[in-house]
Every structure is written in C-alpha cells, then in structure tokens.
Amino acid sequence: MEISARNSFKGTVKKVLHGSVNTEIILELAPGIELVSIITKSSAEKLGLSEGKQAYAVIKSSDVIVAID
C-alpha cells in the first residue's frame, strides 16, 4: 500500500459501534492509547472491520487540529 498521507498508525480494532449510517471504530495503537474514527457503515462492512482485526488509521495533515492547554 502506498499513500500520499504522511501519518499512518497501525493498531488493533478495539470496538466497532454500528449506527444506521455511520460506524464508530476505536483503534488501540498501544496499551492505553486509542484513536477513534467515524466512517460510513458501508465502508466498515467492506473492510470487514471487527474487534481484534489489525487496521491502519491514516491521517491527512489538513484534517488534524492542534491545541495547547
């Protein structure tokens, strides 16, 4: 797989929460470190996402918000 996005993180699907249109995917990147994504239900089904499956979170920098406390 080759992509133009510079940030990709491999993780394990921890939880899949299906809605009527969208699905929330929780990826565990490392113990205690999780990333949450909302994708279409049809995309989640096409990818066969289920708990325990390995998957990548691909982040395009134009869609990342940075904040400080």
Side-chain angles (χ1 to χ4, degrees):
M1 172 179 67
E2 291 189 35
I3 54 176
S4 63
R6 293 181 180 223
N7 303 298
S8 64
F9 302 95
K10 187 175 184 179
T12 303
V13 177
K14 184 173 182 179
K15 190 175 260 190
V16 178
L17 301 167
H18 292 289
S20 58
V21 176
N22 292 324
T23 298
E24 181 176 305
I25 306 295
I26 301 175
L27 285 180
E28 184 172 53
L29 305 179
I33 299 176
E34 298 176 351
L35 187 142
V36 180
S37 179
I38 304 289
I39 63 174
T40 62
K41 184 177 181 181
S42 61
S43 290
E45 291 170 350
K46 181 179 175 183
L47 293 171
L49 295 175
S50 60
E51 291 181 16
K53 186 170 183 175
Q54 297 289 299
Y56 291 87
V58 180
I59 301 170
K60 186 79 173 159
S61 62
S62 58
D63 296 324
V64 176
I65 298 169
V66 177
I68 59 171
D69 205 9

